[in-house]
Amino acid sequence: MLQGRCTTQKLAIAAVLRDIHDHPSALLIHERVRESLPNISLATVYRNLENMVAAGFINAIAGAPECRFDANTMPHHHFLCQGCHTLSDVPATGAGVSLLYPDSIDGCAVTGAQLLFSGYCQACMPGRPSAF
Amino acid sequence: MLQGRCTTQKLAIAAVLRDIHDHPSALLIHERVRESLPNISLATVYRNLENMVAAGFINAIAGAPECRFDANTMPHHHFLCQGCHTLSDVPATGAGVSLLYPDSIDGCAVTGAQLLFSGYCQACMPGRPSAF
DNA sequence: TTTTATGCAAAGTCTTTGCACTCAC
DNA sequence: GTGAGTGCAAAGACTTTGCATAAAA
């Protein structure tokens, strides 16, 4: 799982990612890791996250103001609330979502697809009765 | 289409967006607008883009290093090449892509969906014969 | 005239980079 | 001992904000 040398910092970052099940930004990950490793630098967090994304251990989620990370590498989609900017998981199947796409589009090799839904969560539903 | 007062700056930005058919970043838009309006400030470009996104006149595309904008408000998807970071349009239908989703997921109202494919364009196809 | 929009400049936020030092191997 | 990995600090890139001025209505 970990590449290269096994450092305390890498283990601490991996442990945080394993425990967090929401979609933390790099800054939040740094904050959490500092609980167990107060001296770890933000640059180290960024460098290790970059390596983990490259290794496929975590996913980088596009679409939020900052880049967020996701330790859940199972295929799934995301929902971004436009009210509170919360990012939540949407199962790849079972939520009524159906996505099919070919391996290549217009001669381009497609290696992955990110589906980002936007809208409003129950708490942020604008101008609608809460019974919606 | 334009909200509020009709200023030279708004018209110039709208004209640039109408002419550009790729997916310019805010900085690139600023550069292009300066060709006709050399004194326009970057802050004005950002403020107007924000207004146009809010008004639904253009879309903000998530997933690129910087936020990019898209004057094409017809439903369509995007392909981000991991080699050259070029962002291109994928027709909503006709490219073999099939996407179906409900109006609400887990009690959240879904107002839109962005589908971002990633992979490699023909020029960046890694370690594969160009005849792929 | 009134009020919104702009330009300028500064600050804010997130991310990357350079370099000397440390520690896993 | 060697070199990958780290901490620190600075810089970089993109975006937002404050305020006086300009211009649309």
Side-chain angles (χ1 to χ4, degrees), chain B residues 17-119:
Chain B
L17 286 171
R18 210 178 301 117
D19 293 343
I20 297 186
H21 289 105
D22 55 2
H23 305 86
S25 66
L27 290 172
L28 188 68
I29 293 170
H30 180 227
E31 211 168 282
R32 296 279 186 99
V33 175
R34 291 218 296 177
E35 289 170 13
S36 58
L37 229 62
N39 291 322
I40 192 171
S41 81
L42 186 52
T44 298
V45 172
Y46 272 106
R47 277 185 283 236
N48 279 294
L49 289 174
E50 188 187 334
N51 291 342
M52 288 172 176
V53 170
F57 173 53
I58 58 173
N59 291 328
I61 303 171
E66 335 87 357
C67 190
R68 302 199 208 177
F69 298 91
D70 192 354
N72 176 4
T73 53
M74 298 294 290
H76 63 285
H77 311 307
H78 293 103
F79 177 85
L80 181 64
C81 176
Q82 296 180 319
C84 57
H85 299 108
T86 299
L87 190 67
S88 43
D89 282 345
V90 174
T93 55
V97 180
S98 150
L99 172 63
L100 290 172
Y101 59 91
D103 287 341
S104 76
I105 295 176
D106 278 345
C108 302
V110 178
T111 59
Q114 282 191 24
L115 184 49
L116 181 70
F117 294 106
S118 51

Side-chain angles (χ1 to χ4, degrees), chain A residues 48-98:
Chain A
N48 278 293
L49 288 174
E50 188 186 335
N51 291 342
M52 288 173 178
V53 170
F57 174 53
I58 57 174
N59 292 326
I61 303 171
E66 335 87 355
C67 189
R68 302 199 207 177
F69 298 90
D70 191 354
N72 177 3
T73 53
M74 297 295 291
H76 63 285
H77 311 308
H78 294 104
F79 177 84
L80 181 64
C81 176
Q82 295 180 321
C84 57
H85 299 108
T86 298
L87 189 67
S88 43
D89 281 344
V90 174
T93 55
V97 179
S98 149

Side-chain angles (χ1 to χ4, degrees), chain A residues 7-30:
Chain A
T7 64
T8 322
Q9 289 83 353
K10 281 186 188 177
L11 291 173
I13 294 170
V16 165
L17 287 170
R18 210 178 301 118
D19 293 343
I20 296 186
H21 289 105
D22 54 3
H23 305 85
S25 67
L27 290 172
L28 188 68
I29 293 172
H30 180 226

